[in-house]
Amino acid sequence: MKTFFNRAIFAVAALSLAACSTGMELKNAQSVQPGGTVFERSLYKEYMEQATDEYNEADFANSDTFALRGIAAAQRKAADPEPVSNRNLPAGTEKDLSAARKRLTIALIKTAREKAPRDAARAQVMYECWMEEQEENVQPKDIAACRAAFEAAMKKVDAALKPKPMAKKAAPKPA
């Protein structure tokens, strides 16, 4: 009985310690000096805004997730958009999010990081915001806001990636 009691106390202490460390990544991320490309610095900024918003809502686990992704971006180790499989999404929501991720990933491959770095960074973080809110599935307005922000950013990315029309050659002057 005493052994069980000691193990129980140890387990509670370990869980308490783990809980105390949740939510600490935002502070770590705030001390990072972002470097790298415009895309990487923009990605850091966008992740920091999400991490702060989640922290202010007392969603420390998701704050940590966004903060860690921000740190990676600041250190020139930016990850690709988070896979849909990373989240426990409600049935019927995976299709739209998978299509959004595919659209974003293709744009990033097609040089969106260089041609529309700020909008591409915004699109990536808003896609992940949409997915995070969809996983929680308790704030329909937040889900819609993240999705709308993703769509608005992708509209700008798509426009930047459109081929520019060829300039018409001037007609030769008559002799």
Side-chain angles (χ1 to χ4, degrees):
M1 181 73 162
K2 190 173 183 178
T3 303
F4 173 77
F5 185 71
N6 288 342
R7 287 183 183 166
I9 289 175
F10 177 75
V12 169
L15 287 173
S16 296
L17 184 60
C20 289
S21 67
T22 302
M24 298 303 294
E25 295 303 334
L26 178 59
K27 187 173 183 177
N28 293 336
Q30 289 169 332
S31 68
V32 171
Q33 290 299 317
T37 65
V38 173
F39 174 76
E40 290 162 333
R41 291 189 311 271
S42 298
L43 201 55
Y44 169 79
K45 177 185 166 284
E46 293 287 342
Y47 278 129
M48 291 305 296
E49 287 177 14
Q50 282 306 119
T52 302
D53 288 349
E54 293 303 319
Y55 188 89
N56 290 338
E57 292 179 2
D59 185 350
F60 303 122
N62 280 309
S63 175
D64 283 352
T65 298
F66 287 120
L68 289 170
R69 291 179 69 78
I71 291 169
Q75 295 173 343
R76 306 197 74 181
K77 300 174 186 170
D80 289 333
E82 188 177 4
V84 173
S85 61
N86 281 9
R87 298 283 183 166
N88 186 20
L89 298 167
T93 61
E94 300 93 347
K95 184 179 177 184
D96 286 349
L97 284 159
S98 292
R101 184 179 191 279
K102 181 178 180 181
R103 178 181 174 198
L104 175 58
T105 302
I106 289 170
L108 293 173
I109 291 168
K110 289 183 175 180
T111 68
R113 289 177 183 96
E114 294 80 25
K115 292 181 179 175
R118 289 175 184 86
D119 295 319
R122 176 103 174 125
Q124 179 166 329
V125 176
M126 289 301 97
Y127 155 76
E128 292 176 15
C129 170
W130 172 17
M131 194 164 54
E132 179 268 327
E133 292 294 343
Q134 189 66 73
E135 178 182 45
E136 292 174 350
N137 206 30
V138 293
Q139 298 168 306
K141 287 182 181 177
D142 289 355
I143 296 167
C146 292
R147 184 176 187 165
F150 166 77
E151 293 294 343
M154 281 306 300
K155 186 175 182 180
K156 292 176 182 176
V157 168
D158 291 342
L161 294 177
K162 260 188 188 168
K164 305 293 182 224
M166 297 290 286
K168 292 183 181 180
K169 290 185 180 181
K173 292 183 180 179

